[in-house]
């Protein structure tokens, strides 16, 4: 377990202690808080072999509830967000580094370069090699991101 993982986990647990409790004494949390915590986790661990189930388990909620919260807040599944985040990170590395496509695929959490290349082409419409080509027009993509959790609302 990495130091960063322990720190993120500790911050999430601390924030949960500050939450109000329901009539049964259970801590209550709005879906937006779970989404924000999941996004932070994804941004810290997207290069690792993480899964939606693992993220939900880390947050202490069910996979179904996490997906419902993502749909409600971002209009997409957790899996879609994770893939999109990995693809945007890969596009940044393709554009700004000299790393090989194999190195980039590993750096964004793909063990298999072919699987990575297929996912990249599905997302951007071109292969990683073509995207890296200086004559390829750079496309700007805007993904919906969660804002900071509100206090008490």
């Amino acid at each position: 377990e990495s130091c960063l993982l322990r720190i993120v986990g500790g911050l999430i647990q601390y924030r949960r202690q500050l939450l109000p409790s329901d009539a049964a004494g259970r801590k209550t949390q709005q879906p937006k808080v779970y989404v924000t915590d999941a996004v932070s986790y994804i941004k810290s661990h997207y290069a690792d072999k993480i899964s939606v189930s693992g993220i939900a388990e880390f947050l202490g909620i069910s996979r179904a509830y996490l997906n419902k919260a993502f749909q409600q807040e971002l209009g997409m599944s957790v899996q879609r967000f994770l893939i999109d985040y990995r693809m945007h990170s890969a596009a940044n590395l393709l554009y700004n580094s000299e790393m090989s496509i194999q190195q980039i695929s590993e750096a964004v959490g793909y063990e298999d370069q072919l699987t990575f290349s297929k996912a990249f082409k599905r997302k951007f419409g071109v292969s990683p090699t073509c995207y890296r080509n200086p004559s390829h027009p750079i496309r700007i993509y805007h993904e919906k991101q969660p804002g900071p959790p509100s206090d008490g609302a």
Side-chain angles (χ1 to χ4, degrees), residues 64-120:
Y65 184 77
L66 181 59
N67 266 314
K68 181 179 176 183
F70 261 74
Q71 286 294 339
Q72 182 179 333
E73 295 297 322
L74 300 179
M76 69 176 72
S77 69
V78 182
Q79 186 68 29
R80 170 61 27 217
F81 183 89
L82 175 59
I83 291 169
D84 284 354
Y85 192 81
R86 284 175 165 161
M87 292 299 105
H88 284 279
S89 297
N92 184 47
L93 289 171
L94 284 164
Y95 187 71
N96 293 309
S97 80
E98 298 297 319
M99 293 170 68
S100 71
I101 293 172
Q102 176 66 42
Q103 290 170 319
I104 291 171
S105 71
E106 292 170 1
V108 298
Y110 284 84
E111 293 177 5
D112 179 48
Q113 182 180 337
L114 181 60
T115 303
F116 162 74
S117 293
K118 286 179 180 179
F120 191 91

Side-chain angles (χ1 to χ4, degrees), residues 38-56:
V39 168
S40 294
Y41 184 86
I42 289 168
K43 288 180 176 182
S44 298
H45 301 285
Y46 71 95
D48 301 330
K49 191 174 182 175
I50 60 173
S51 66
V52 177
S53 295
I55 296 166

Side-chain angles (χ1 to χ4, degrees), residues 6-74:
R6 286 193 309 274
I7 291 169
V8 170
L11 290 173
I12 289 170
Q13 292 303 323
Y14 174 73
R15 192 158 84 192
R16 284 191 187 143
Q17 291 173 2
L18 301 176
L19 294 170
S21 298
D22 65 11
R26 295 178 302 232
K27 297 293 184 181
T28 56
Q29 203 168 159
Q30 292 184 334
K32 187 172 188 170
V33 175
Y34 285 121
V35 171
T36 301
D37 289 347
V39 168
S40 294
Y41 184 86
I42 289 168
K43 288 180 176 182
S44 298
H45 301 285
Y46 71 95
D48 301 330
K49 191 174 182 175
I50 60 173
S51 66
V52 177
S53 295
I55 296 166
E57 183 179 326
F58 177 77
L59 296 173
I61 59 176
S62 73
R63 177 188 171 115
Y65 184 77
L66 181 59
N67 266 314
K68 181 179 176 183
F70 261 74
Q71 286 294 339
Q72 182 179 333
E73 295 297 322
L74 300 179

